[in-house]
Amino acid sequence: MSEGSRDQIFSRLHAATRQSPAPVSQPPAMPIKTYSQKEKVEKLKTLMEAMRTEVHLTGAKNWANSVKDILKQRAVKSLLYATRTEIGKVLEHQWENSAADLPQLFPYKNNIEQHKEMVFNVDAGITSAAGAIAETGALILWPTEKEPRLMSIVPPLHIAVLQADKIHNSLSEVIQKENWPAKMPTNVVLVSGPSKTADIEMTLAFGVHGPKELIVLIVEN
Amino acid sequence: MTNPQPLDFDKNVSRALNDTQLIKNIKSAMATLVSKRKTIFSDATETEQLRTLGNALKKNALSKLPQLLEQLEEKCTQNGIKVHWAETAAEANQQVLDIMKSHGATRLVKGKSMVSEEMELNAFLQKHGIEALETDLGEFIIQLNHETPAHIIVPAIHKNKDQISKIFHDNIPDAPYTEDVAELTAIARKTLRQKFYQADVGLSGVNFAVAETGTLCLVENEGNGRMCTTVPRVHIALMGLEKVVEKLADVPPLLRLLIGSATGQLITTYVNMITSPRKEGEKDGPKEVHLIILDNGRSKIYADPRRRQTLQCIRCGTCLSHCPVYNRIGGHAYGYIYPGPIGKILNPQVEGLKTAGVLASASSLCNACEEVCPVKIQIPDLIRRIRNESYSKDSTCTIEGHGYKRNLTEVLIWKVWQIINTHPSINAAGLKILNVLGLKIPKIGPLKYWTRYRTTPELAKKSLHELAKQHGVDHE
């Protein structure tokens, strides 16, 4: 059925293009606005905060302490993390030394089929961000084998750790600079804040399906 | 398809005009959307540049449509996405059902997809014993109330929160009555979480499909789209064949245009780019991804070089929000799931003029839609085209049902009009007769209908010709 339909559709489309092979002139791309490193951090912070994201500036040595403080403050009881990532290793080490008052760590090490109940019941998930976009204020999440997709969407609280030097000027720039067309992974997600909706009377409400809260730690060197 | 019967547009409009609550809800929401859009496109020069670029990118994609679709199919297939082609809505529905059956699946969670509305997929699946549940909050509300979307972007905007409170309380077991928007949202979250957890298959639309990489781009704010495309073991994506773009680099400017026009945001909460099913070693995500590419009348529109621009549409809905007619009658009156200016040109071309041509009459040709369209579709021009073809039997006409409005009386009236106005003596004599009759246009036949809501024009006592003569103008 699909085969026949495919042929029919293509025969109509090809017939139409043969009749009018209108060439389209390539317009100039929009200029990419460039920001200094300091401006990038500021712009990202301002725009994401405007979307009700909590943004913390922290250092390479104390980001884990910031995470602990955030978790304690919110009385988070369970934290989903990825085991073999840099972040995962640091957390495991930190928790070994002082697990008192800290949430229980839940490692995402098997397939979702074994972990579904856990993933749907933890209070928070922590992931890295592969980068960010200053122009529009968004994180780039690039899930991997080590760091699965659901960690950043199912738990009510998502904590993302971003290296400050990975903030790009714009999406156009990062696609070009990192040659995304040659290496698109299973899934890339841009995230600008916690889940929200304005479907009822255009009134903003947060946390409709995804995380109710998004916390970003920008790690500066 | 959606409406096999000719549309009783007049009746729909009268009903809408009399529903004061509806008009109040629509007007206030549209004012918000319009002002939010303005904050994003505040720099006129930059906006114009961006629109010109958006127009060219979509035009470029359309000029190579068959090649790009072949490339998309090839890339997707390489990436492990299964591609299906459907000529009609019925065929696409069957494809969804077959995929579900092949997995013994009975529960489907849906992200927002206008193509699925076009297909009337929910009703079809329900007939086959499958629960198809809308998870976008707006779509969820109207599904509970057995309605179709009133707006492409904000589907439940015709309802205010009191009405929604009642819909929730009446239809969701154990839902307490509340008029608090945050609480209503929390009820939806709780109800649908369970459904995401249990669903076998997730369905979504597609905003842009990138031929270069075989990537499906989806924008959303709620996160239900990410849930639908990540939690269930199978993901089905539906797209109209016009959604393909050439390169990944084309996506950023189109995203700016789509999101800015649709909701007045710089970027949505989530921009989700999907390029393959779960790969070996990955721990989650669907094991199967299907892409159904639907024609459903689009290739017919594509065949006409002038009408082809209709397919540039990125479904941002901003022409609805800015339309003075939409603002006064809302979306349902149009009788099709694509209402407003884009609906006025799209539906008649897909369904034929006899069925849907009347929609083109609902325009004052104020040009607001064209001024705001992010990809510069010349909507008023196409409305005129549809109006003209409605009356023309000419062989150059390409829209199905053209000439359906042509009738002998009107042809005759215009013929007489032509004779009167090209023969000065007859014209002068005619005016004299009208002077005797009292200079009134008689309210009979079509004129009676025409003057139902309009002031009857009065004829001047003296013609311009006579006045000029009186003032001593020799050669007027």
Side-chain angles (χ1 to χ4, degrees):
Chain A
M1 183 169 63
S2 186
E3 235 356 78
S5 300
R6 184 190 184 282
D7 294 347
Q8 288 292 326
I9 292 168
F10 274 101
S11 82
R12 281 196 294 271
L13 295 179
H14 278 300
T17 41
R18 267 196 296 275
Q19 273 168 19
S20 55
V24 177
S25 60
Q26 210 55 22
M30 295 298 285
I32 291 173
K33 285 180 199 148
T34 50
Y35 306 96
S36 69
Q37 177 59 28
K38 194 170 164 241
E39 284 169 338
K40 281 182 191 168
V41 172
E42 268 168 25
K43 181 121 180 131
L44 182 73
K45 187 169 185 287
T46 313
L47 286 172
M48 291 197 73
E49 281 174 348
M51 292 296 122
R52 215 185 268 193
T53 303
E54 198 176 301
V55 181
H56 298 265
L57 301 179
T58 169
K61 287 202 177 111
N62 47 15
W63 69 263
N65 285 329
S66 307
V67 171
K68 284 186 196 167
D69 291 344
I70 289 163
L71 294 169
K72 278 184 200 164
Q73 248 173 40
R74 285 178 167 71
V76 170
K77 294 206 168 50
S78 47
L79 177 68
L80 184 66
Y81 80 106
T83 45
R84 291 180 292 140
T85 58
E86 286 312 305
I87 293 173
K89 284 175 198 162
V90 172
L91 290 179
E92 280 171 358
H93 181 70
Q94 293 275 339
W95 257 247
E96 262 173 31
N97 294 338
S98 60
D101 337 322
L102 286 173
Q104 196 182 341
L105 281 183
F106 284 88
Y108 196 151
K109 53 184 178 188
N110 298 318
N111 288 345
I112 182 64
E113 285 73 21
Q114 282 95 58
H115 278 332
K116 205 167 181 181
E117 209 183 319
M118 171 185 83
V119 171
F120 270 78
N121 285 297
V122 289
D123 292 343
I126 185 166
T127 72
S128 63
I133 297 157
E135 186 187 49
T136 51
L139 301 175
I140 301 167
L141 303 183
W142 195 284
T144 59
E145 283 182 24
K146 289 181 190 171
E147 202 172 62
R149 294 164 70 175
L150 289 171
M151 301 180 69
S152 59
I153 184 70
V154 179
L157 167 65
H158 174 212
I159 303 170
V161 184
L162 168 72
Q163 300 299 324
D165 57 4
K166 287 185 180 167
I167 306 174
H168 301 269
N169 289 302
S170 69
L171 178 60
S172 291
E173 184 197 61
V174 63
I175 288 176
Q176 201 185 331
K177 214 159 87 183
E178 295 187 347
N179 194 15
W180 282 19
K183 59 170 197 190
M184 283 303 272
T186 302
N187 181 227
V188 187
V189 188
L190 310 182
V191 180
S192 65
S195 151
K196 63 176 180 287
T197 183
D199 274 352
I200 302 177
E201 286 192 5
M202 303 302 299
T203 308
L204 257 188
F206 287 85
V208 55
H209 292 302
K212 297 174 182 179
E213 281 185 285
L214 172 65
I215 299 175
V216 180
L217 301 175
I218 303 181
V219 183
E220 293 178 302
N221 294 314
Chain B
M1 199 192 67
T2 35
N3 203 336
Q5 295 298 315
L7 178 69
D8 195 345
F9 193 40
D10 281 4
K11 197 172 126 197
N12 289 357
V13 170
S14 299
R15 194 187 304 142
L17 288 172
N18 287 318
D19 190 339
T20 47
Q21 183 64 57
L22 169 84
I23 304 308
K24 211 176 129 199
N25 297 349
I26 294 275
K27 267 198 169 169
S28 112
M30 293 311 111
T32 310
L33 283 171
V34 166
S35 75
K36 280 182 75 187
R37 175 190 172 276
K38 256 190 210 157
T39 62
I40 293 298
F41 296 127
S42 52
D43 181 335
T45 319
E46 193 202 63
T47 304
E48 190 50 28
Q49 228 181 324
L50 197 56
R51 288 174 69 224
T52 306
L53 180 59
N55 171 277
L57 291 173
K58 288 297 284 187
K59 238 188 210 153
N60 170 62
L62 288 176
S63 75
K64 309 173 187 168
L65 187 60
Q67 293 86 336
L68 293 185
L69 285 170
E70 273 164 6
Q71 192 187 356
L72 177 70
E73 180 184 41
E74 195 191 316
K75 280 286 164 191
C76 284
T77 310
Q78 275 173 20
N79 299 340
I81 296 175
K82 292 180 183 165
V83 180
H84 310 260
W85 299 88
E87 280 201 274
T88 60
E91 199 179 340
N93 280 332
Q94 191 59 45
Q95 287 167 351
V96 174
L97 181 64
D98 289 345
I99 296 167
M100 298 225 30
K101 275 186 174 165
S102 74
H103 288 274
T106 53
R107 286 167 299 198
L108 177 79
V109 281
K110 288 181 67 195
K112 194 165 158 36
S113 154
M114 287 307 287
V115 168
S116 78
E117 295 282 356
E118 185 181 327
M119 290 156 53
E120 299 182 351
L121 176 66
N122 295 356
F124 173 83
L125 290 178
Q126 205 179 352
K127 251 189 266 163
H128 290 85
I130 286 173
E131 179 193 63
L133 192 74
E134 297 289 349
T135 62
D136 169 86
L137 181 60
E139 292 278 350
F140 177 63
I141 294 166
I142 59 168
Q143 188 178 34
L144 287 177
N145 208 37
H146 309 290
E147 286 183 290
T148 53
H151 190 285
I152 294 176
I153 300 299
V154 275
I157 207 59
H158 57 298
K159 295 284 179 219
N160 66 11
K161 67 170 189 271
D162 302 353
Q163 294 167 309
I164 294 166
S165 305
K166 198 167 161 359
I167 294 171
F168 271 29
H169 185 62
D170 292 349
N171 294 286
I172 303 173
D174 306 323
Y177 184 87
T178 170
E179 288 175 10
D180 183 273
V181 173
E183 282 174 27
L184 289 167
T185 307
I187 294 172
R189 180 185 176 99
K190 196 174 156 222
T191 312
L192 291 170
R193 272 267 150 165
Q194 195 62 22
K195 300 290 182 181
F196 288 127
Y197 188 90
Q198 295 164 338
D200 310 301
V201 179
L203 184 134
S204 75
V206 174
N207 292 104
F208 305 106
V210 184
E212 179 185 29
T213 55
T215 300
L216 311 177
C217 302
L218 283 101
V219 299
E220 55 148 345
N221 283 313
E222 297 186 1
N224 65 312
R226 287 181 67 196
M227 295 288 250
C228 289
T229 57
T230 322
V231 180
R233 61 182 197 268
V234 179
H235 167 209
I236 303 172
L238 300 176
M239 67 177 254
L241 55 74
E242 80 284 12
K243 291 284 185 200
V244 66
V245 297
E246 187 175 10
K247 294 185 182 125
L248 197 60
D250 296 347
V251 171
L254 289 170
L255 281 177
R256 279 286 315 266
L257 285 164
L258 170 64
I259 298 166
S261 305
T263 53
Q265 293 171 279
L266 260 182
I267 189 165
T268 41
T269 305
Y270 306 114
V271 175
N272 190 0
M273 302 189 204
I274 296 163
T275 309
S276 80
R278 187 194 308 190
K279 291 195 191 98
E280 190 66 36
E282 290 176 345
K283 298 189 181 74
D284 58 19
K287 289 180 172 169
E288 259 182 42
V289 178
H290 296 264
L291 175 64
I292 298 176
I293 303 177
L294 177 67
D295 182 341
N296 203 28
R298 288 164 174 83
S299 59
K300 227 165 39 178
I301 299 174
Y302 185 72
D304 183 292
R306 184 88 198 128
R307 297 198 277 121
R308 184 175 292 178
Q309 57 175 319
T310 312
L311 302 177
Q312 283 166 214
C313 178
I314 53 175
R315 304 283 189 266
C316 71
T318 206
C319 61
L320 280 58
S321 312
H322 287 81
C323 177
V325 178
Y326 178 92
N327 264 266
R328 281 160 181 82
I329 62 173
H332 289 150
Y334 293 83
Y336 289 90
I337 61 118
Y338 301 110
I342 187 64
K344 288 172 211 172
I345 60 169
L346 183 62
N347 302 312
Q349 294 186 69
V350 173
E351 304 291 329
L353 295 175
K354 215 170 178 176
T355 316
V358 64
L359 291 173
S361 66
S363 171
S364 61
L365 298 175
C366 74
N367 275 26
C369 48
E370 185 175 339
E371 278 173 31
V372 294
C373 177
V375 290
K376 294 190 163 189
I377 303 172
Q378 294 159 309
I379 298 176
D381 190 55
L382 291 170
I383 291 176
R384 270 185 228 109
R385 167 80 180 264
I386 290 165
R387 288 181 179 180
N388 286 342
E389 287 211 8
S390 299
Y391 287 95
S392 175
K393 291 271 190 214
D394 200 284
S395 63
T396 55
C397 292
T398 57
I399 310 175
E400 191 189 310
H402 62 86
Y404 85 103
K405 269 187 172 175
R406 193 179 171 88
N407 66 67
L408 206 61
T409 324
E410 267 193 59
V411 174
L412 215 64
I413 289 171
W414 289 114
K415 197 74 208 164
V416 171
W417 178 265
Q418 190 193 357
I419 293 168
I420 292 174
N421 286 291
T422 49
H423 295 81
S425 52
I426 303 180
N427 190 328
L431 269 176
K432 285 218 174 82
I433 297 168
L434 277 171
N435 255 314
V436 174
L437 291 173
L439 291 166
K440 280 274 186 199
I441 288 181
K443 286 192 178 186
I444 47 161
L447 287 173
K448 188 177 169 188
Y449 182 73
W450 197 82
T451 52
R452 207 163 37 143
Y453 300 114
R454 298 175 180 87
T455 318
T456 319
E458 276 186 36
L459 292 172
K461 282 205 170 66
K462 282 180 179 162
S463 70
L464 184 66
H465 185 79
E466 282 173 316
L467 285 172
K469 226 178 189 176
Q470 220 171 333
H471 281 82
V473 181
D474 286 335
H475 310 286
E476 79 271 20

